[in-house]
Amino acid sequence: MAQLWGGRFTKDTDQLVYNFNASISFDKKFYKQDMEGSIAHVKMLGKQGILEAGEAQEIVEAIKEIMREVDEGKLKISHVYEDIHSFVEATLIDRLGDVGKKLHTGRSRNDQVALDMRLYTRQEVLETDGLLEGLLRAILTIMEQNTDTFMPGFTHLQKAQPVTLAHHMGAYFEMFKRDRQRMEDIYQRMNYCPLGSGALAGTTYALDRYDTARQLGFVGPTLNSMDGVSDRDYLIELLSALATVMMHLSRFSEEVIIWNSNEYQFVEIDDAYSTGSSIMPQKKNPDIAELVRGKTGRVYGALMSLLTTMKGIPLAYNKDMQEDKELTFDAIDTVKGCLALFTGMLSTMKFRKERMEESARHGFTNATDAADYLVNHGVPFRDAHGIVGKLVLYCIQKHAAIDDLSLEELKQISPVFEADIFEAVSMETCVEKRLTIGAPGQKAMEQVIALEKEYLEHDWKKSIADWETALLE
Ligand code: ARG
C-alpha cells in the first residue's frame, strides 16, 4: 500500500478496501497525460511565483525523466500505488526530496484526473476519427469502381428495386461521415481545461488557468470549478457516438455475412480475413464480421453503464466517477480495433459482380418501373399498380421475369404495353433513369462521388493541429 494521505487516520486501510479503491491497474493507461498535466501545472506555478523558478525547472526535468524511463520500460509502474497520480508524485519525491513535495500545490486529484481523462480521450477522438476516415476512403474506392455494378436493393430483406454497388456503399459512406462529424463536434465541446478547479472550489493560490489551458492545447479553462471536476458529459457523448459507430459497423457486418453466405455469394471475404472450422473442412467463416457485430453489445453496455453511474451523483466529485475509466477505455479500444479490422476486410473483399447483377435481374426489381411505364402512357398509378401485380403473378406461374415475356403476353394483361416496354424495364434503364441527386443513376452517383472526394480533402484534424501550433508559439 502506498498512498498520498493518512495523516488523520489512526489505522491502516484494510487490504481489501485498498484493493477495491485503487485504480492504478487501469489509470496507468494515461501516465503520459498525467505527467504532461503536471508539467504544465508546475511551469505555471513557476511563472506565477508560487514555486521558485529553479524548483519548477527541477520538477519539470525530473518528470520528463520519469516519463522517458516509463516509455522505455526502465521504470515499471508499480501496483503498490493507489493510482497513477500517487505513483508519479511518490517517484518524484523519491528523486527530489522536499522539492518533489511541492508538485501538488494548488491542485487536487479531482481536477487532475478530470484533466488526464480529457487529455487521453481527446487524443483518442482524433485517432478514432482517423480510422473512420480510412474506412471512408476504402468505401469511396469501391464506389468509384462500381457505379455500373447492378445489384438488388432490398426492403424487408426482399428484393425491391435495382441499385448499384456504388449506391449501396454510398449509404454507408454517409453514415460514417456523420460519425466523423460527431467526433469533431465532441472534440470541440470537450476542449476546455478543468485543471485549476481544485477539489471543487478552485484555490486561493494565484493560478493562471488560462496559461495551463493554453500549454495543454485547450480553448480555455472550464468556467465552473464544481462542474470542472464532475462533468463526465463529454464521455457520455463520446460513448454514444462510439455506440453509433458500432451500430453502423454491425449493420454493415450483417450485410457482409449475408452477402458472403452460400446462398447469396455476392462477396468473397479474403482468406486473410476468414477463419476455418476445426471439424468441417469446407468451411470459410466470416468471423471478423460476426465479432464486430457481437462487440457492439459491449460498447452499448459502456454507454448505459456510465449514464447509470452518473444519474444519482450529487455535486461535485464522488468516487463513483472512477468507474468512467475502464468502460471508456474498453469502448474506445473496441471501436478502434473493429474499425481497423473492418476496413482491412472490406478493402480485400471480392465483389462478385455477376452474381449481384444476376440477382437484380430476377425478383421483379423492375416492377415499379413497369408500373411507371403505364403511368407515362396515361394509366392512373393505382390502376397501373394493379395491372403490374397481375403481371408479376403471371410471371411467377410461368417462372419468368417480366422482360422474358413476349409483347403479346404483355398486351393480354394490358393493351397499353408497346415494344418499348422492354427497354423501359431493362436493368440499365431502371437504374439510369434514377438521376435525382442521391439516387443510383450513374450521373447522379458521379456527382455524389465528386462531393465526397471534396469532403475528404478537408480534414478537420488538420485545422485543430494548426490552431494548437499557433497557440503554443
Ligand atoms: N482514481 C480517482 C478517479 O479515477 C482519482 C480521483 C481521486 N480523488 C479522490 N478524491 N479520491 O476518479
Side-chain angles (χ1 to χ4, degrees):
M1 287 190 236
Q3 52 209 19
L4 298 170
W5 42 270
R8 61 101 67 218
F9 289 77
T10 52
K11 271 189 186 174
D12 284 343
T13 318
D14 180 273
Q15 186 64 51
L16 285 177
V17 171
Y18 187 84
N19 297 346
F20 189 63
N21 194 46
S23 53
I24 187 107
S25 62
F26 47 88
D27 64 19
K28 64 180 174 189
K29 198 162 173 101
F30 50 51
Y31 74 90
K32 249 187 188 335
Q33 287 78 8
D34 188 77
M35 291 191 230
E36 280 162 9
S38 288
I39 289 171
H41 179 65
V42 169
K43 281 187 178 167
M44 179 275 295
L45 292 178
K47 283 187 229 167
Q48 295 297 98
I50 301 167
L51 291 189
E52 282 170 24
E55 291 172 331
Q57 179 70 17
E58 202 183 334
I59 298 175
V60 168
E61 290 311 321
I63 296 176
K64 285 185 179 165
E65 181 57 27
I66 294 171
M67 193 174 340
R68 237 188 328 269
E69 288 178 24
V70 175
D71 281 345
E72 290 166 4
K74 283 195 203 135
L75 178 63
K76 289 266 170 296
I77 299 175
S78 158
H79 285 202
V80 303
Y81 296 98
E82 180 186 347
D83 52 32
I84 189 63
H85 327 298
S86 315
F87 164 78
V88 175
E89 190 173 329
T91 311
L92 191 72
I93 294 170
D94 275 353
R95 294 181 182 194
L96 300 186
D98 284 347
V99 175
K101 293 181 184 164
K102 297 189 178 186
L103 166 68
H104 211 49
T105 312
R107 191 176 67 171
S108 157
R109 277 184 298 167
N110 296 353
D111 60 345
Q112 192 179 355
V113 79
L115 170 69
D116 294 358
M117 194 63 180
R118 270 193 209 223
L119 286 173
Y120 181 84
T121 46
R122 191 178 66 172
Q123 179 58 31
E124 293 297 310
V125 167
L126 294 181
E127 285 181 24
T128 306
D129 183 81
L131 288 161
L132 281 165
E133 188 191 332
L135 176 55
L136 285 180
R137 289 186 189 282
I139 294 174
L140 193 64
T141 304
I142 300 171
M143 288 168 72
E144 286 179 286
Q145 292 164 354
N146 290 286
T147 54
D148 58 356
T149 305
F150 301 123
M151 67 177 286
F154 297 85
T155 62
H156 314 272
L157 205 51
Q158 306 273 327
K159 290 181 197 179
Q161 290 178 333
V163 294
T164 62
L165 179 55
H167 190 244
H168 197 117
M169 287 291 137
Y172 284 106
F173 193 99
E174 291 302 310
M175 292 179 233
F176 293 116
K177 189 164 83 178
R178 290 194 294 274
D179 287 333
R180 285 194 76 199
Q181 286 160 352
R182 274 183 273 274
M183 290 299 144
E184 177 177 0
D185 184 43
I186 289 166
Y187 188 100
Q188 306 286 8
R189 202 169 13 260
M190 76 188 279
N191 202 15
Y192 292 85
C193 186
L195 189 63
S197 297
L200 76 161
T203 88
T204 54
Y205 296 98
L207 305 185
D208 184 350
R209 294 193 60 209
Y210 287 91
D211 178 79
T212 38
R214 201 174 315 115
Q215 287 189 62
L216 294 164
F218 288 102
V219 175
T222 53
L223 294 185
N224 181 290
S225 58
M226 292 178 84
D227 180 55
V229 292
S230 66
D231 164 31
R232 298 293 183 274
D233 293 6
Y234 70 101
L235 295 177
I236 291 173
E237 283 189 77
L238 176 59
L239 290 174
S240 166
L242 293 177
T244 308
V245 171
M246 289 306 293
M247 181 268 291
H248 289 152
L249 280 177
S250 187
R251 292 183 73 178
F252 207 163
S253 294
E254 171 71 5
E255 296 211 295
V256 168
I257 293 162
I258 294 174
W259 291 356
N260 186 65
S261 68
N262 302 134
E263 284 68 26
Y264 273 74
Q265 297 178 32
F266 280 9
V267 298
E268 192 179 341
I269 299 174
D270 194 77
D271 276 4
Y273 285 88
S274 313
T275 45
S277 156
S278 62
I279 172 168
M280 297 166 282
Q282 84 283 12
K283 288 291 223 108
K284 195 176 145 187
N285 295 328
D287 286 26
I288 298 307
E290 289 170 13
L291 268 174
V292 170
R293 189 177 58 180
K295 283 177 189 290
T296 304
R298 58 202 273 174
V299 180
Y300 287 8
L303 172 62
M304 278 321 293
S305 177
L306 190 56
L307 276 169
T308 312
T309 295
M310 292 304 295
K311 78 179 255 298
I313 303 185
L315 287 175
Y317 179 83
N318 296 262
K319 197 61 176 261
D320 319 40
M321 293 174 182
Q322 179 167 290
E323 285 294 306
D324 63 357
K325 289 172 199 65
E326 286 162 288
L327 45 97
T328 304
F329 294 156
D330 182 72
I332 292 172
D333 292 345
T334 301
V335 171
K336 280 167 59 185
C338 289
L339 279 170
L341 276 161
F342 195 93
T343 303
M345 179 183 69
L346 187 69
S347 37
T348 50
M349 200 160 79
K350 242 212 281 18
F351 291 93
R352 302 188 57 185
K353 301 183 187 187
E354 65 313 324
R355 289 276 311 173
M356 289 182 161
E357 290 200 19
E358 189 53 24
S359 170
R361 287 186 197 284
H362 297 96
F364 307 105
T365 59
N366 53 1
T368 312
D369 294 270
D372 288 343
Y373 173 92
L374 294 174
V375 170
N376 287 330
H377 290 74
V379 181
F381 179 77
R382 193 49 59 210
D383 292 341
H385 187 283
I387 295 166
V388 177
K390 285 207 188 74
L391 173 60
V392 167
L393 192 62
Y394 177 81
C395 288
I396 291 172
Q397 281 154 3
K398 269 200 74 173
H399 298 292
I402 297 177
D403 11 0
D404 293 337
L405 301 187
S406 67
L407 186 55
E408 289 66 45
E409 286 173 295
L410 285 165
K411 273 187 170 301
Q412 267 170 23
I413 290 167
S414 169
V416 181
F417 285 123
E418 296 297 341
D420 58 351
I421 176 65
F422 295 107
E423 150 105 60
V425 298
S426 77
M427 189 66 50
E428 290 69 18
T429 317
C430 284
V431 173
E432 286 320 319
K433 272 196 315 203
R434 291 187 156 75
L435 287 172
T436 48
I437 193 78
Q442 194 163 15
K443 286 276 168 311
M445 272 315 298
E446 278 163 5
Q447 264 174 283
V448 167
I449 288 172
L451 289 172
E452 308 293 30
K453 271 189 172 162
E454 201 183 304
Y455 155 76
L456 279 176
E457 272 167 31
H458 303 289
D459 188 356
W460 68 272
K461 293 193 290 308
K462 173 144 178 9
S463 50
I464 297 264
D466 291 349
W467 177 79
E468 279 187 9
T469 316
L471 197 68
L472 296 173
E473 267 162 11

